[in-house]
Amino acid sequence: PDSGSLSYVNGGHEPLFIVRSGGGVKEHLPATGPAVGIEADIDFKIQQTQMATGDILLGYTDGVTEADTSDGTFFTMKRLVSIVETPASTATELLDRIANSVEAHISGADQFDDITLLAIRRVP
């Protein structure tokens, strides 16, 4: 925590974001291997990156970007990225903003997939 060094493994999930304290995507953290369970005995690479004070690590499932309305219109990655462009002073604020936007988008349509969000902010 003191250094801001982050080591990660992503087994085929959506790429995590590091969001700048002033808003906007600083970095995408792509998968480091195929989806877990697809092949036996796969080695996953450990990647490293750096988080500055105030940066937020944002994780989400495809149920966020693929949340759809009753007419089949997806929420989309573009819309998610546009939300993180506005600075958030806390991880909770960012999560609430995304969750409220997804909820407004689906507007009562049946949910077909999990909608999961995770945010961790590096504090001084």
Side-chain angles (χ1 to χ4, degrees), residues 11 45 47 56 76 85 89-90 93 95-96:
K45 295 178 183 172
Q47 297 290 342
I56 297 173
T76 73
E85 292 299 320
S89 58
T90 67
E93 179 186 331
L95 290 176
D96 287 346

Side-chain angles (χ1 to χ4, degrees), residues 36-95:
V36 172
I38 297 294
E39 298 178 36
D41 300 322
I42 292 292
D43 290 329
F44 291 88
K45 295 178 183 172
I46 298 172
Q47 297 290 342
Q48 293 188 332
T49 192
Q50 195 72 25
M51 290 182 66
T53 299
D55 284 352
I56 297 173
L57 176 68
L58 176 65
Y60 57 95
T61 59
D62 61 356
V64 173
T65 55
E66 295 175 2
D68 63 350
T69 60
S70 56
D71 70 358
T73 304
F74 286 155
F75 187 76
T76 73
M77 177 66 73
K78 181 178 179 180
R79 193 161 179 185
L80 176 60
V81 170
S82 73
I83 293 170
V84 303
E85 292 299 320
T86 302
S89 58
T90 67
T92 300
E93 179 186 331
L94 180 59
L95 290 176

Side-chain angles (χ1 to χ4, degrees), residues 85-115:
E85 292 299 320
T86 302
S89 58
T90 67
T92 300
E93 179 186 331
L94 180 59
L95 290 176
D96 287 346
R97 192 180 323 141
I98 295 167
N100 291 338
S101 186
V102 169
E103 184 65 31
H105 174 76
I106 60 177
S107 183
D110 290 335
Q111 183 178 332
F112 78 98
D113 199 356
D114 71 295
I115 295 175

